[in-house]
Amino acid sequence: MGYERMWEPGEPGVPVDLRPDVPHPARMYDYYLGGKDHFPADRAAAEKALAANPEFRSTARANRAFLTRAVRCVAALGVDRFLDVGTGIPTAGNTHEIARSVRPGAKVVYVDNDPVVLSHSRALLAGTGLGRTAVLRADLREPAGLLAAVEDAGLLEPGRPVGLVLAAVLHFLRDEDEPYGAVATLLDALPSGSYLVLSHGTADFIPAAVRDRVTGIYDRAAAPLVGRSREEVGAFLEGLEVLDPGVVPVPLWRPEQPPGPGADRVGMYGAVARKP
Ligand SMILES: C[S@@+](CC[C@H](N)C(=O)[O-])C[C@H]1O[C@@H](n2cnc3c(N)ncnc32)[C@H](O)[C@@H]1O
């Protein structure tokens, strides 16, 4: 029997607080991507971030394009179960659509901690094949609880490889949130032959003053923005077999067209790796 678990606004015991007055990274990201699911506070903060670093918009687009290529690659390698943590507000080319373009029977569990993301995902999933997609509210900072919710959804099967997608989400975890431990806990629960699709923001290519302005804007939002260096991003892949071309700015990860000027300085690293 299929299973579809979605958090419902107003569900007893679940606090409903969209906090439209507090800029939220998911809605700011939607604004960068040209979506329409944001409040004035999100737009104002996103405009400030764009004023500090106008490349945020092109970086968000490059990240979505990376996600498409990377999920397609993993599906082509035989994976048909995906766990996408930090889903984001649905936009063009969502993980289940990308995966099913290669493997029509692919099943996807989406996880996000933002109620706005969940209510939009519920609308997106209406009619997309009950029992093949689930949307869960859980927090990457509590990986054990997240895994329990995923298991409860019943879409992933023991022993069957999973494509774990952590795209543009780990940079919302401070070091004290133990992002490396969270990734290790998730990977430990997945069988050999699973893949990690990772993208992560970096300040490697911008002046420190710009980085500090952007950090200040996100410090006043619902989650901080913690850029990590190439080496720090690579450390998430410890113990995994990293696919070519390794950890690179997202436009350089297996591009389908020649990368444009400045592609090697786009502030988001991407990588795909296999669990041995
Ligand atoms: C920038 S969006 C990325 C969306 C999509 N993965 C992509 O790459 O296009 C980051 C998402 O991560 C979610 N997020 C941030 N912190 C999280 C946490 N601790 N646990 C779960 N989701 C989180 C946000 O709500 C947001 O939807």
Side-chain angles (χ1 to χ4, degrees):
M1 197 177 77
Y3 181 95
E4 191 152 22
R5 170 78 177 93
M6 275 175 281
W7 174 78
E8 299 285 346
E11 183 177 306
V14 180
V16 181
D17 190 357
L18 303 181
R19 295 302 310 265
D21 52 321
V22 179
H24 198 286
R27 302 187 302 237
M28 291 170 69
Y29 184 71
D30 182 68
Y31 183 78
Y32 302 144
L33 284 172
K36 54 183 173 38
D37 300 307
H38 31 71
F39 296 112
D42 305 311
R43 292 193 280 280
E47 279 298 343
K48 276 190 199 155
L50 285 168
N53 184 0
E55 285 170 17
F56 263 42
R57 185 159 273 149
S58 55
T59 302
R61 292 195 179 125
N63 178 61
R64 287 303 297 189
F66 160 78
L67 178 70
T68 301
R69 298 193 302 279
V71 169
R72 252 196 236 135
C73 162
V74 171
L77 288 165
V79 173
D80 64 356
R81 296 290 183 274
F82 286 84
L83 171 56
D84 182 337
V85 181
T87 305
I89 293 169
T91 180
N94 300 293
T95 296
H96 71 287
E97 294 159 333
I98 304 164
R100 285 181 200 151
S101 71
V102 180
R103 304 216 161 255
K107 296 186 179 181
V108 178
V109 181
Y110 287 114
V111 177
D112 206 287
N113 68 347
D114 180 0
V116 169
V117 170
L118 296 169
S119 60
H120 283 286
S121 299
R122 179 181 56 166
L124 166 86
L125 289 174
T128 65
L130 199 67
R132 293 199 297 148
T133 319
V135 183
L136 312 174
R137 186 184 191 189
D139 200 303
L140 185 52
R141 292 168 293 186
E142 292 163 21
L146 189 156
L147 284 169
V150 170
E151 191 180 349
D152 190 40
L155 292 190
L156 309 182
E157 294 165 28
R160 191 163 180 144
V162 170
L164 171 62
V165 180
L166 296 173
V169 59
L170 283 163
H171 48 232
F172 295 120
L173 271 62
R174 298 183 200 271
D175 286 348
E176 52 268 39
D177 294 324
E178 302 188 5
Y180 294 97
V183 174
T185 302
L186 297 187
L187 285 169
D188 276 353
L190 301 181
S192 163
S194 293
Y195 286 85
L196 171 61
V197 170
L198 174 73
S199 66
H200 195 300
T202 184
D204 279 0
F205 309 118
I206 54 173
V210 173
R211 180 201 60 205
D212 292 346
R213 275 166 66 199
V214 169
T215 305
I217 292 161
Y218 275 85
D219 278 348
R220 289 187 290 279
L225 185 60
V226 186
R228 293 192 169 88
S229 68
R230 183 171 180 276
E231 197 183 2
E232 289 167 331
V233 174
F236 285 109
L237 308 171
E238 210 174 285
L240 303 179
E241 300 161 357
V242 183
L243 272 54
D244 285 340
V247 181
V248 290
V250 284
L252 302 187
W253 196 91
R254 303 192 180 190
E256 285 161 1
Q257 273 139 26
D264 56 343
R265 299 181 63 78
V266 165
M268 183 86 71
Y269 286 117
V272 178
R274 179 182 181 277
K275 179 173 174 177

